Amino acid sequence: MKKYIITGLLIICIILALDSNARSAYFVTAIRSDTTTFVNGRRVVLLSYNINGSRYMKIRDLAYTLSGTSKQFSVGWSGAQNAILLTSGKPYKAVGGEMSRSGEATGMARISLAKVLLDGNEVSVYVYNYKGENYYRLRDIGRIIDFNVGWDSSINAVIIDTSKRSTDKDASPNPFIARIRNIDPSKPMVALTFDDGPGAQTNAILDILERHNAKATFFVLGNRVSANNRTISRAYNMGCEIAGHAWSHRELTALPESRIRSEIHDTNRAITSATGAAPTLLRPPYGSVNSRVRSVSQSLGVPIITWSIDTRDWSNRNANTIYNNVMRNVRNKDIILLHDTYSATTNAISRIVPDLISRGYQLVTVSELMYFSGMTPDPGAVYFRAR
Ligand code: ZN
């Protein structure tokens, strides 16, 4: 039985979810699995994504599975109305693509409210679009067709009962953009971080990261954001994390509270307009923190991230030294300080990235590192590493 519970590939993914006004961002997991599902006691296996605790499935898989029950429905498409058409009570005609297993869970995805017409009436259903495939939230389908959806944790199975009514409420109107990543939380991971950019080296560093499908975190200066919007968008769209390093690189501990606030807030606003996502972390210049910096960070909702390995690239400017400072000291869950402003750093990175990967490290963003380490960073608190 056990091997049927989750067959095939189980992919742990991570999603950066944004609320609609982009003031805060939070991480959730998306797990793609072949999911044991009992429909009126009959066992089937359906491909699903578990996103933030909700199951998302293909509408045709569900229609196929419910065929012949009292809650069967047909599925059509109206190009003119740009809507999926469901007709309750009608048998579903299979098209041959049901119960498919496809898609690698990487890249950008979007969760939105789909336009669905049920017997001609518009209903709201969450849909997760990934590489052209749509996955509908199972509880929303249960709610509109009116069948009961449950979960049996003792056998890790979805339970659909068409003889019982749905107990689910309307979908809350809070669509979000999802970022999907393959990360194995049981394997080692580190976060490369680059401060003071975007700078002359940022694109060369992104080229290296891209070549190895690695991600990093860029703590950017607010006063450099608008001139480098394209570079920041590129990094963000590659799956890198963009966070603030204050506006002007002044040491925040020397500033009054109002100025600390504007240094952080203005930077975060500039990043939000460049990427569409509000940053969720702060790295103060020089790593300098005092009680004022902590309390402003707390009120702005950002945890403070420093580092566990300083490559000292800012002082040695030597690729071999930078390389050795990383490779001789690195441990699981480290946060590594670098700068995307020195060519020596780029040269070092061209060896560090493949060599860390060949040692078994996953190169993740700081937020991914925290999330997969089971840490929920508190705004205003200081984190050196994720262990
Ligand atoms: Zn700096």
Side-chain angles (χ1 to χ4, degrees), residues 195-196 221 245 249 284-286 339:
D195 288 9
D196 297 359
L221 291 175
H245 191 44
H249 215 270
Y286 315 102
H339 295 80

Side-chain angles (χ1 to χ4, degrees), residues 102-124:
S102 67
E104 188 202 350
T106 55
M108 293 289 287
R110 180 178 289 275
I111 291 186
S112 54
L113 285 168
K115 186 170 181 189
V116 175
L117 298 176
L118 172 67
D119 303 330
N121 301 311
E122 189 162 346
V123 289
S124 64

Side-chain angles (χ1 to χ4, degrees), residues 125-322:
V125 177
Y126 268 132
V127 64
Y128 163 58
N129 180 275
Y130 180 68
K131 286 195 174 169
E133 303 263 28
N134 286 323
Y135 300 83
Y136 292 79
R137 190 158 75 168
L138 176 59
R139 287 186 180 279
D140 290 343
I141 300 298
R143 174 175 50 79
I144 63 169
I145 303 284
D146 201 13
F147 58 82
N148 195 268
V149 176
W151 171 254
D152 185 337
S153 59
S154 68
I155 53 171
N156 283 332
V158 171
I159 309 294
I160 292 174
D161 186 343
T162 61
S163 71
K164 290 188 193 157
R165 306 201 61 175
S166 168
T167 55
D168 289 301
K169 301 260 189 314
D170 204 356
S172 57
N174 188 14
F176 53 95
I177 295 166
R179 293 160 68 81
I180 308 299
R181 292 265 282 122
N182 291 332
I183 295 167
D184 183 342
S186 68
K187 294 199 174 128
M189 59 186 81
V190 293
L192 299 176
T193 66
F194 296 91
D195 288 9
D196 297 359
Q201 300 296 319
T202 312
N203 272 300
I205 288 168
L206 290 174
D207 290 343
I208 296 164
L209 295 171
E210 197 167 44
R211 206 174 308 138
H212 298 282
N213 192 28
K215 315 300 175 195
T217 302
F218 292 85
F219 290 102
V220 302
L221 291 175
N223 66 17
R224 302 190 60 85
V225 168
S226 69
N228 294 281
N229 260 326
R230 281 167 62 94
T231 303
I232 289 177
S233 297
R234 180 190 172 197
Y236 180 75
N237 290 334
M238 275 173 56
C240 290
E241 181 166 17
I242 314 295
H245 191 44
W247 187 264
S248 63
H249 215 270
R250 291 280 304 278
E251 192 160 20
L252 297 181
T253 50
L255 301 176
E257 188 174 316
S258 61
R259 179 74 193 279
I260 296 171
R261 182 174 296 275
S262 63
E263 284 271 335
I264 300 171
H265 178 262
D266 294 354
T267 301
N268 286 357
R269 197 172 51 187
I271 293 169
T272 305
S273 79
T275 65
T280 58
L281 308 171
L282 168 71
R283 172 167 289 161
Y286 315 102
S288 298
V289 176
N290 62 9
S291 61
R292 282 199 307 283
V293 173
R294 281 196 300 269
S295 83
V296 172
S297 302
Q298 185 180 26
S299 73
L300 292 173
V302 284
I304 297 166
I305 306 297
T306 58
W307 52 84
S308 51
I309 293 180
D310 182 355
T311 63
R312 299 186 61 81
D313 60 343
W314 49 274
S315 111
N316 61 52
R317 315 271 180 105
N318 180 297
N320 277 332
T321 308
I322 297 165

